[in-house]
Amino acid sequence: MVRWCVFWVPILLAACGGQGHDSSGPTWAQHVAPLVHRSCAPCHRPGQPAPFALLTYDDARKKSRQIAEVTNQRVMPPWLMVHGDFADDRRLTAAEIALLQDWVAAGSPRGDASQEPAPPQWSADWQLGEPDLVLQLAEPFPVPASGPNLFRNFVVPVALERLRHVEAVEIRPQSPAVHHVVLAVDATSSCRQLDAADPVPGFPGMVAGAALPPDGHFLGWTPGKRVRREPPGMAWRLRPGDDLVLQLHMVPTGKVEHVRPSIGLYFTDQPTTIEPFPLALFSEQIDIAAGDADFVLRDQITLPVPVVLHRVYPHAHYLGRRLRAWIRLPDGAERDLFRIDAWDFDWQDDYEFAQPVELPAGTTLGIEYHYDNSAGNPSNPHRPPVRVRFGQASEDEMGTLTLMVTTEPGRHRLQLAAAVWQHDCTKCPRDAGLWRKLASVQRELGQDREALASLAAAMERAPDHAETHYELGMCHERASRFDAAERAYRAALRAAPDHGGSNLQLGGLLARAGQTEAALACFELALQSLPNLPLLHCNLGTAWFVKGDLAAAESRYRRALALDDRYVNAWFLFGRLLAAQGRRDPARSALQRALQLAPGHPGAQAALRELGG
């Protein structure tokens, strides 16, 4: 059975705030109507996903016993958290629930109709006003009248001419068949290939291909979700060529529904300076015997650096019953971060803390999830129960907690990433990709020996994988072992001739060696899989500059700056190119922009001196 949302805005009634209602008992006109209008009607109204309206007395009277039952059971409003201080908390107070119970027990009296408040009116406009860009699925997707729930991913191309910073996004599902939506960004175009390979629009599954949360942000829609602008500096970046990927959970409603969501994007000129890090606690050690009523999953990690915690996204499937996350501070003090005593797969959501939580270095974060694979679990999809293991399908089981945290950029962020990947490698030691991620961060930290050891582990598990050879080349190149780096990149290209990163880096080595033609060939090959990488366009511009084709060079520099208008080296090289063309004023502007972004840039300062200012 599909359960629909009753959205509760945390505004307390005077009758529930200590004054009480009159001796004749609660009535719709005086006591219940304001609560229903504020707490239920935002979803229970025409055009919203709830299956019936709750605007008038007749609406509420017909559903009064159901309202009393689901609110008393705390099924409605759908807010899973029972512990934790989160924004937009939808829980009803005990006094509000008691008022509804008393009203129904008294026969749901109307009271004085002349005192009834008018049903609220909602604007059909977007929550934050007209978006800067509105996108929509290319065509509606038909959801059958009956059958199983559907998880499907839809690619939405974005036509941008330059890098944009997105401070807010609103998703409008436009159909009661949409249960919830997750939004991600694909910078690789690979989701288009998955879409094209499927005979109908989109592609199935709970994993959206290579699409990722942009800059670590949790984006999506659930009934009643408010839209907020990100704080200054925390907008996420959307680049030309990026695709949005909408993962829709759709449910049959009893008639064929044609689903075609809209996406509204709000841009800001404030550049991204704070990039959240998506820290995930999880375990794949899930093997729940049929009948096991209390299988427990645990994971924990100790933070090497201080972080600020903004949001959490707990996730399990149908067997999940009780979910808890906790923190242990360096002084040994321990407390719950959140607790869900009655997990419901159908109402999963992400949760934003009312106030960001500051956690010092040395804090341990942990999860403890309980699963019930017995016949007594009403959400168990198997009758009778069967053995359930880890997996991505909805009838498999999972246990994750993704935390949106921020920390100081640079070394602190790298140290956090290294700790996370190291922890993940201990849990999934056969995963070559995790070892490569760890090696990449260790390389950035200057830990050459550790990076090579991690790559050896990756090579043992995936000796012919292009990514492993590519990362080995990056390690050698960072340590100025250029011959070894070239051999590694060529090994990667033997495994995957179209590997973009290896073609890019090999091209750079060849350009450094003066082999401009060969470098250009590598860069052009890299462009096929990395069409939106500013560094690649900048390198192509420099190669054409060296060859003397200034028009081709200018085109590539302009493209690099469209993709990232804060790319210091591109501004510097573009300024040099304009100076070489005799375009002194535009050259001076470009070089000044480089200095604005990187005060003291020696190349830009020298070039400006040559221009006389």
Side-chain angles (χ1 to χ4, degrees), residues 233-234 237 272-277 305-308 405-417 444-445:
M234 281 189 69
R237 291 164 287 198
T272 302
T273 56
I274 305 170
E275 183 180 345
F277 183 92
V305 296
V307 306
V308 178
V405 305
T406 53
T407 189
E408 290 294 324
R411 193 166 186 85
H412 270 197
R413 185 180 176 87
L414 290 171
Q415 288 173 321
L416 177 61
E444 291 290 333
L445 285 167

Side-chain angles (χ1 to χ4, degrees), residues 384-446:
V386 301
R387 181 183 186 183
V388 175
R389 299 181 182 181
F390 169 82
Q392 299 290 344
S394 59
E395 292 190 359
D396 297 324
E397 199 49 77
M398 294 182 67
T400 64
L401 174 64
T402 308
L403 306 103
M404 177 178 157
V405 305
T406 53
T407 189
E408 290 294 324
R411 193 166 186 85
H412 270 197
R413 185 180 176 87
L414 290 171
Q415 288 173 321
L416 177 61
V420 170
W421 300 135
Q422 182 74 67
H423 181 56
D424 290 352
C425 285
T426 63
K427 292 185 291 185
C428 305
R430 303 305 304 170
D431 190 329
L434 290 175
W435 287 105
R436 286 194 299 270
K437 287 181 178 180
L438 177 59
S440 175
V441 174
Q442 290 168 331
R443 165 173 57 81
E444 291 290 333
L445 285 167

